[in-house]
Coordinates of all heavy atoms in Angstrom, one line a residue:
E1 N 327.0 179.4 16.1 CA 328.5 179.6 16.1 C 329.1 179.1 17.4 O 330.2 178.7 17.5 CB 328.8 181.1 15.8 CG 330.3 181.4 15.7 CD 331.0 181.8 17.0 OE1 330.3 181.9 18.0 OE2 332.2 182.0 17.0
E2 N 328.4 179.3 18.4 CA 328.8 179.1 19.8 C 329.0 177.6 20.2 O 329.5 177.2 21.2 CB 328.0 179.8 20.9 CG 327.8 181.3 20.7 CD 329.0 182.0 21.1 OE1 330.0 181.3 21.5 OE2 329.0 183.3 21.2
V3 N 328.7 176.8 19.2 CA 328.7 175.3 19.5 C 329.6 174.6 18.4 O 329.5 173.5 18.1 CB 327.4 174.6 19.5 CG1 326.6 175.1 20.8 CG2 326.5 174.9 18.3
G4 N 330.6 175.4 17.9 CA 331.5 174.8 16.9 C 331.4 175.4 15.6 O 331.7 174.7 14.6
A5 N 330.9 176.6 15.4 CA 330.7 177.3 14.1 C 330.0 176.4 13.2 O 330.3 176.3 12.0 CB 332.1 177.6 13.5
R6 N 328.9 175.8 13.7 CA 328.1 174.9 12.8 C 327.5 175.6 11.6 O 327.4 175.0 10.6 CB 327.1 174.2 13.6 CG 327.6 173.2 14.7 CD 328.2 172.0 14.1 NE 328.2 170.9 15.0 CZ 329.2 170.6 15.9 NH1 330.2 171.4 16.1 NH2 329.1 169.6 16.8
G7 N 327.0 176.8 11.8 CA 326.3 177.4 10.8 C 327.3 177.8 9.6 O 327.1 177.6 8.5
A8 N 328.4 178.3 10.1 CA 329.5 178.8 9.1 C 330.1 177.5 8.3 O 330.3 177.6 7.2 CB 330.6 179.5 9.8
E9 N 330.2 176.4 9.1 CA 330.7 175.2 8.5 C 329.7 174.7 7.4 O 330.0 174.3 6.3 CB 330.9 174.1 9.5 CG 331.3 172.8 9.0 CD 332.7 172.8 8.4 OE1 333.6 173.5 9.0 OE2 332.9 172.1 7.4
Y10 N 328.4 174.8 7.8 CA 327.4 174.4 6.7 C 327.4 175.2 5.5 O 327.3 174.8 4.4 CB 326.0 174.4 7.4 CG 324.9 173.8 6.5 CD1 324.7 172.4 6.6 CD2 324.1 174.6 5.6 CE1 323.8 171.8 5.8 CE2 323.2 174.0 4.9 CZ 323.0 172.7 4.9 OH 322.0 172.0 4.1
L11 N 327.5 176.6 5.8 CA 327.6 177.5 4.7 C 328.8 177.2 3.8 O 328.8 177.2 2.6 CB 327.7 178.9 5.2 CG 327.8 180.1 4.2 CD1 326.7 180.0 3.2 CD2 327.9 181.4 4.9
A12 N 330.0 177.0 4.5 CA 331.2 176.6 3.6 C 331.0 175.4 2.8 O 331.5 175.4 1.7 CB 332.4 176.5 4.6
R13 N 330.4 174.4 3.4 CA 330.2 173.1 2.7 C 329.1 173.2 1.6 O 329.1 172.4 0.6 CB 329.9 172.0 3.5 CG 331.1 171.6 4.4 CD 330.8 170.3 5.2 NE 330.0 170.5 6.4 CZ 328.7 170.2 6.5 NH1 328.0 169.6 5.4 NH2 328.0 170.4 7.6
S14 N 328.3 174.3 1.6 CA 327.1 174.3 0.7 C 327.6 174.8 -0.7 O 326.8 174.7 -1.6 CB 326.1 175.3 1.3 OG 326.6 176.7 1.2
G15 N 328.8 175.3 -0.7 CA 329.3 175.8 -2.0 C 328.8 177.2 -2.4 O 329.0 177.7 -3.5
R16 N 328.1 177.9 -1.5 CA 327.5 179.3 -1.8 C 328.6 180.3 -1.9 O 328.4 181.4 -2.4 CB 326.4 179.6 -0.8 CG 325.2 178.7 -0.9 CD 324.4 178.8 -2.2 NE 324.0 180.3 -2.3 CZ 322.9 180.8 -1.7 NH1 322.1 180.0 -1.0 NH2 322.5 182.0 -1.9
V17 N 329.7 180.0 -1.2 CA 330.8 181.0 -1.1 C 332.0 180.5 -2.0 O 332.5 179.5 -1.7 CB 331.3 181.2 0.3 CG1 332.4 182.1 0.4 CG2 330.2 181.7 1.2
P18 N 332.2 181.2 -3.1 CA 333.2 180.7 -4.1 C 334.6 180.9 -3.4 O 334.9 181.5 -2.5 CB 333.1 181.6 -5.3 CG 332.4 182.8 -4.7 CD 331.5 182.4 -3.6
P19 N 335.6 180.1 -3.9 CA 337.0 180.0 -3.4 C 337.6 181.3 -3.4 O 338.6 181.6 -2.6 CB 337.7 178.9 -4.2 CG 336.5 178.1 -4.8 CD 335.4 179.0 -5.0
D20 N 337.3 182.2 -4.4 CA 337.9 183.5 -4.5 C 337.2 184.7 -3.7 O 337.5 185.9 -4.0 CB 338.2 183.9 -6.0 CG 336.9 184.1 -6.8 OD1 335.8 183.6 -6.2 OD2 336.9 184.5 -7.9
A21 N 336.2 184.3 -2.9 CA 335.5 185.3 -2.1 C 336.3 186.0 -1.1 O 337.4 185.4 -0.7 CB 334.2 184.7 -1.5
L22 N 335.9 187.1 -0.7 CA 336.4 187.9 0.5 C 335.4 187.7 1.6 O 334.1 188.1 1.3 CB 336.7 189.3 0.1 CG 337.7 189.6 -1.0 CD1 337.8 191.0 -1.3 CD2 339.1 189.0 -0.6
V23 N 335.8 187.3 2.8 CA 334.9 187.2 3.9 C 335.2 188.2 5.0 O 336.4 188.2 5.5 CB 334.9 185.7 4.4 CG1 333.9 185.6 5.7 CG2 334.5 184.8 3.4
L24 N 334.3 189.1 5.3 CA 334.5 190.0 6.5 C 333.5 189.6 7.6 O 332.4 189.7 7.4 CB 334.2 191.4 6.0 CG 334.3 192.5 7.1 CD1 335.7 192.6 7.8 CD2 334.0 193.9 6.5
N25 N 334.1 189.2 8.7 CA 333.4 188.8 9.8 C 333.4 189.7 10.9 O 334.4 190.4 11.2 CB 333.9 187.4 10.3 CG 333.2 186.8 11.5 OD1 331.9 186.7 11.4 ND2 333.8 186.5 12.5
L26 N 332.3 189.9 11.7 CA 332.2 191.0 12.8 C 331.8 190.2 14.0 O 330.8 189.5 14.0 CB 331.2 192.0 12.4 CG 331.7 192.9 11.3 CD1 330.7 192.8 10.1 CD2 332.1 194.2 11.6
D27 N 332.5 190.3 15.1 CA 332.3 189.6 16.3 C 332.6 190.4 17.5 O 333.8 190.8 17.6 CB 333.0 188.2 16.3 CG 332.4 187.1 17.2 OD1 331.6 187.5 18.1 OD2 332.7 185.9 17.0
N28 N 331.7 190.6 18.5 CA 332.0 191.3 19.7 C 332.7 192.7 19.5 O 333.8 192.9 19.8 CB 333.1 190.5 20.6 CG 332.5 189.3 21.4 OD1 332.0 189.5 22.4 ND2 332.6 188.1 20.6
V29 N 331.9 193.5 18.9 CA 332.4 194.9 18.5 C 331.7 196.0 19.3 O 331.7 197.2 18.8 CB 332.2 195.1 17.0 CG1 333.1 194.2 16.2 CG2 330.8 194.9 16.5
G30 N 331.2 195.7 20.5 CA 330.4 196.7 21.3 C 331.2 197.3 22.3 O 330.7 198.3 22.9
K31 N 332.5 197.1 22.6 CA 333.3 197.7 23.6 C 334.7 197.4 23.5 O 335.1 196.2 23.2 CB 332.7 197.4 25.0 CG 333.2 198.2 26.1 CD 332.5 197.8 27.5 CE 333.0 198.8 28.6 NZ 332.4 198.4 29.9
G32 N 335.6 198.2 23.9 CA 337.1 198.0 24.0 C 337.7 198.5 22.7 O 337.2 199.2 21.9
E33 N 339.0 198.2 22.6 CA 339.8 198.5 21.4 C 339.6 197.7 20.3 O 339.4 196.4 20.4 CB 341.3 198.5 21.8 CG 342.2 199.0 20.7 CD 343.7 198.9 21.1 OE1 344.0 198.4 22.3 OE2 344.6 199.2 20.4
L34 N 339.6 198.3 19.1 CA 339.3 197.5 17.8 C 340.5 196.9 17.3 O 341.6 197.5 17.2 CB 338.7 198.4 16.8 CG 338.3 197.9 15.4 CD1 337.2 196.8 15.7 CD2 337.8 198.9 14.4
F35 N 340.4 195.6 16.9 CA 341.5 194.8 16.3 C 341.0 194.1 15.1 O 339.8 193.9 15.0 CB 341.9 193.7 17.3 CG 342.6 194.1 18.5 CD1 341.9 194.5 19.7 CD2 344.0 194.3 18.6 CE1 342.5 194.9 20.8 CE2 344.7 194.6 19.7 CZ 343.9 195.0 20.9
Y36 N 341.9 193.9 14.2 CA 341.6 193.0 13.0 C 342.5 191.7 13.1 O 343.6 191.8 13.4 CB 341.8 193.7 11.6 CG 343.3 194.1 11.3 CD1 344.1 193.2 10.7 CD2 343.7 195.3 11.7 CE1 345.4 193.6 10.5 CE2 344.9 195.8 11.4 CZ 345.9 194.9 10.8 OH 347.1 195.2 10.5
A37 N 341.8 190.7 13.1 CA 342.6 189.4 13.2 C 343.4 189.1 12.0 O 342.9 189.2 10.9 CB 341.7 188.2 13.6
T38 N 344.6 188.6 12.2 CA 345.5 188.3 11.1 C 345.5 186.7 10.9 O 346.1 186.2 10.0 CB 346.9 188.8 11.3 OG1 347.4 188.2 12.6 CG2 347.0 190.2 11.4
G39 N 344.8 186.0 11.8 CA 344.6 184.7 11.7 C 343.9 184.1 13.0 O 343.7 184.9 13.9
E40 N 343.6 182.9 13.2 CA 342.9 182.4 14.2 C 343.2 180.8 14.4 O 343.7 180.2 13.5 CB 341.4 182.6 14.1 CG 340.8 181.7 12.9 CD 339.3 181.8 12.9 OE1 338.6 181.3 13.8 OE2 338.8 182.4 12.0
G41 N 343.0 180.4 15.7 CA 343.2 179.0 15.9 C 343.5 178.7 17.3 O 344.5 179.2 17.8
M42 N 342.7 177.9 18.0 CA 343.1 177.5 19.4 C 344.1 176.5 19.5 O 345.0 176.5 20.4 CB 341.8 177.0 20.1 CG 340.7 178.0 20.2 SD 339.2 177.3 21.0 CE 339.7 177.5 22.7
L43 N 344.1 175.6 18.5 CA 345.3 174.6 18.4 C 345.9 174.7 17.0 O 347.1 175.0 17.0 CB 344.7 173.2 18.6 CG 344.2 172.8 20.1 CD1 343.5 171.6 20.1 CD2 345.3 172.8 21.0
V44 N 345.2 174.4 16.0 CA 345.7 174.6 14.7 C 345.5 176.0 14.2 O 344.3 176.4 14.2 CB 345.0 173.6 13.6 CG1 345.6 173.7 12.2 CG2 345.3 172.1 14.1

């Protein structure tokens, strides 16, 4: 993931996750205030 979400990109292209799936991702949850992201993007 740290080099461009390569693993997730491969999983998305593999077709294992159907278009109507729900994806719950957990990242950096060991300290601080809890947030849920409503979207993401450094540029787009």
Side-chain angles (χ1 to χ4, degrees):
E1 186 267 357
E2 300 288 6
V3 292
R6 291 294 203 271
E9 178 66 39
Y10 188 86
L11 176 59
R13 287 190 283 107
S14 72
R16 294 292 301 275
V17 178
D20 61 349
L22 302 177
V23 179
L24 176 59
N25 183 50
L26 297 122
D27 203 340
N28 283 275
V29 294
K31 191 177 182 182
E33 183 180 0
L34 183 61
F35 292 85
Y36 64 87
T38 58
E40 65 175 293
M42 299 181 75
L43 291 170
V44 178

